[in-house]
Amino acid sequence: DAGVIQSPRHEVTEMGQEVTLRCKPISGHNSLFWYRQTMMRGLELLIYFNNNVPIDDSGMPEDRFSAKMPNASFSTLKIQPSEPRDSAVYFCASSTSWDRSIIQETQYFGPGTRLLVL
Amino acid sequence: AQKITQTQPGMFVQEKEAVTLDCTYDTSDPSYGLFWYKQPSSGEMIFLIYQGSYDQQNATEGRYSLNFQKARKSANLVISASQLGDSAMYFCAMRSSYGQNFVFGPGTRLSVLP
């Protein structure tokens, strides 16, 4: 079975440009998560969706960041305009169903997108 | 508030030896789960093992086992017979029935020496 697919794997862009990161979750998974990983802050949850609906976006840094999930098999994370401090590895993860009553449910991560904003 | 502590920024182990990576947690929730992930240099996050707070036995998955000490709030990962491919960052994470999200620790970088 295919795991979580992310594209692109690497992105280099200039400050002020728009960046779009893409994610395809594992088929049958109903929950999708976007994380950012930096040396200084570690892994941070940006936003997550249940059944294509955003549930918690409190981790989204600011209005420059937006995420969508138009259907069960695709999500995007957009940064506009990008800034050098956005340079990080962005992970997408999915799980069967992210529910408080199912603690043992784990998340499966994609390979990540390494973003460098010059 | 929930918190995960991994006090070992880096660890070295000789190939074929066993190694223990420490993880302590803080939560007031009675029901929670603890997870370990491996992140090799290629960058992906790989799920290794899970331990539930009410599980009676320590979790095991192949060469990975969890030394779960609930009273001490620790969930240390034990890797037996280390291999060169075990060199990676290892993250401990937790979620509870009250908290909605994963809480990750800062990670431990393990280096396996030939």
Side-chain angles (χ1 to χ4, degrees), chain A residues 35-38 41-45 91 109, chain B residues 45 91 104-105:
Chain A
Y35 288 88
R36 178 172 67 178
Q37 185 181 37
T38 61
R41 301 172 69 94
L43 266 165
E44 303 173 279
L45 177 68
F91 287 102
F109 284 73
Chain B
M45 295 279 287
F91 293 93
F104 282 91

Side-chain angles (χ1 to χ4, degrees), chain A residues 9 35 37 43 45 48 55-56 91 98-100 102-111, chain B residues 31-33 35 37 39 42-45 47 50 91 95-102 104:
Chain A
R9 293 294 309 275
Y35 288 88
Q37 185 181 37
L43 266 165
L45 177 68
Y48 84 91
I55 302 300
D56 182 358
F91 287 102
W98 201 247
D99 186 279
R100 289 178 191 272
I102 310 174
I103 297 175
Q104 67 269 30
E105 185 62 43
T106 192
Q107 297 177 12
Y108 296 90
F109 284 73
Chain B
S31 181
Y32 51 89
F35 303 75
Y37 284 84
Q39 187 177 37
S42 51
E44 70 271 29
M45 295 279 287
F47 167 66
Y50 163 83
F91 293 93
R95 71 172 299 212
S96 72
S97 57
Y98 295 167
Q100 189 72 334
N101 302 324
F102 262 162
F104 282 91

Side-chain angles (χ1 to χ4, degrees), chain B residues 42-86:
Chain B
S42 51
E44 70 271 29
M45 295 279 287
I46 303 167
F47 167 66
L48 295 178
I49 193 167
Y50 163 83
Q51 178 82 47
S53 60
Y54 291 117
D55 292 344
Q56 294 298 312
Q57 293 185 328
N58 287 343
T60 61
E61 287 287 347
R63 294 186 299 110
Y64 305 109
S65 61
L66 244 163
N67 183 3
F68 181 48
Q69 298 185 48
K70 193 171 182 177
R72 299 181 61 182
K73 293 190 174 180
S74 73
N76 299 338
L77 177 70
V78 180
I79 305 175
S80 63
S82 297
Q83 302 171 356
L84 296 178
D86 294 333

